Amino acid sequence: MASVREKLLTWFDREGRDLPWRRTRDPYAIWVSEVMLQQTRVETVIPYYERFLSSFPTLKALAEADEDAVLSHWSGLGYYRRARLLHRGVREVVAEYGSAVPEDAEARRGLPGIGRYTAGAIGSIAFDKEEPVVDGNVSRVLSRLFRIDTPLGANETTKRLWNEAARLVLGERPGDLNQALMELGATVCTPTSPRCQACPLSTDCRALAHDEVASLPIKPARKAPKQVELAAVVATRGRGADRMVWLIKGDQPLFGGLWGVPMAHGDPRAALRQAGLQARLRIAPIGQVDHVLTHRHLRIDVFVASAAKCTASKNGQLFTPQSLQQVGVSTLTHKILQCANVR
Ligand code: SF4
C-alpha cells in the first residue's frame, strides 16, 4: 500500500499548480518567493515576484540596489520589514558567502530574515536537502492528519508539528514533498471547507476518521486588535499638476524606512513638529482613513497644510506625483494621499 509520502508526491505531480517559482531551482528566486508569500496570497504575489525578478534578476543585482528601489517594488505588498531583511540578507550573502546562498542549513538560518521555515524551503527546494517546513498550511494539514489536539502556537504543538514534518520529508524529492504539503493545505485541506473526498490522504487522516476535521487545528487564543487614533498631515506646495507633497522618512514607527506623510497620535501639530515642518495647517480634518494591520486597527484623521514657504525639513523631501512612483510608499500612505486628493 502506498505511504503518505508516496500519495502526496503522486497527487502533487498531478494536481500541483504551475506557479512561477516552481519553474526554478535558483535559491535566490526561491528565497524571494518565500519571503513574498509570507502572510500574502499566491495570486497577489505572482505579479510582484515577476516584476521584482525582472528588475533584480540576480542576488548581486539586488544587493547592489538601493533600499528605495527595493521598497518601491514592494509597495502595496505590505509587511515592508520583510523586504528590508531580504535586502540585508542578500548583501550578507554577497559579503560573506561569495554571492552564493549557503547550502549549509546553519549558515542559511543565520542570515537576516531567514527563519527555520524559509531556510527549510530554500534547502529542500533548491538544494534537495531533507529539511522540513511548517507554515500555516502545513500546520493545518498535519494537525488534521495526525489529530493533534493542542493549540497552535503552544510549544508542544510546535515541536510535534516540526517533528512530524521532519519525519515526512525524509526520502526522495524533499522539496516536492514540502511543496505538496503546502499545496494540499492551500487547495484541498483549507481552513473552513476542506475537500476530504478529493484528498489523497483521506484514508490516513485521523481527524477524518474521528469526525474532528472541523474542530482541528485548535486555534490559539487571539488578542483583540488594538485601536490606534492618529492624525496625518498632507502638506503640499504648489497647485494643479505642479503640486508637490512633503514626505518624511525614518521616524514613523509603523512604517519605518518607507516614505510617508507626518503622523502623530491624535494631534496634527505634533505631527508637523516631529517632522520639523513649518506649514499652515487647516484646523479641521478633511477626511478619515481606516487601516487594518495584523494587531492594530488604525483610525487616521487626515489634515491638509500649506507648506508654500517651507524649503527644508528634518528627514523630509518634496515629491511630485511622478517622483512618488520611484520610492517605497506604503498602501496606507497611498490611501491618505488619495483622501487629500494628492496622487
Ligand atoms: S482528509 Fe480532509 S482533513 Fe484530512 S488531510 Fe485530507 S483534506 Fe485535510
Side-chain angles (χ1 to χ4, degrees), residues 134-144 148-159 161 215-222:
V134 175
D135 67 351
N137 284 327
V138 175
S139 296
R140 186 167 55 257
V141 173
L142 297 181
S143 296
R144 288 171 174 165
I148 298 173
D149 60 1
T150 50
L152 290 178
N155 287 344
E156 61 175 317
T157 314
T158 305
K159 203 168 156 195
L161 289 169
S215 59
L216 292 176
I218 308 283
K219 296 188 181 48
R222 266 187 188 264

Side-chain angles (χ1 to χ4, degrees), residues 144 188-189 194-196 199 201-202 205 208 213:
R144 288 171 174 165
V188 176
C189 193
R195 295 184 294 118
C196 299
C199 177
L201 307 182
S202 57
C205 180
L208 184 63
V213 173

Side-chain angles (χ1 to χ4, degrees), residues 296-333:
R296 276 177 280 202
H297 281 183
L298 310 182
R299 171 144 291 186
I300 300 152
D301 285 327
V302 179
F303 295 80
V304 290
S306 158
K309 296 201 180 107
C310 192
T311 52
S313 129
K314 191 172 65 173
N315 306 326
Q317 200 176 303
L318 275 166
F319 286 87
T320 61
Q322 294 74 29
S323 60
L324 265 179
Q325 315 295 326
Q326 316 300 321
V327 294
V329 174
S330 69
T331 307
L332 172 59
T333 302

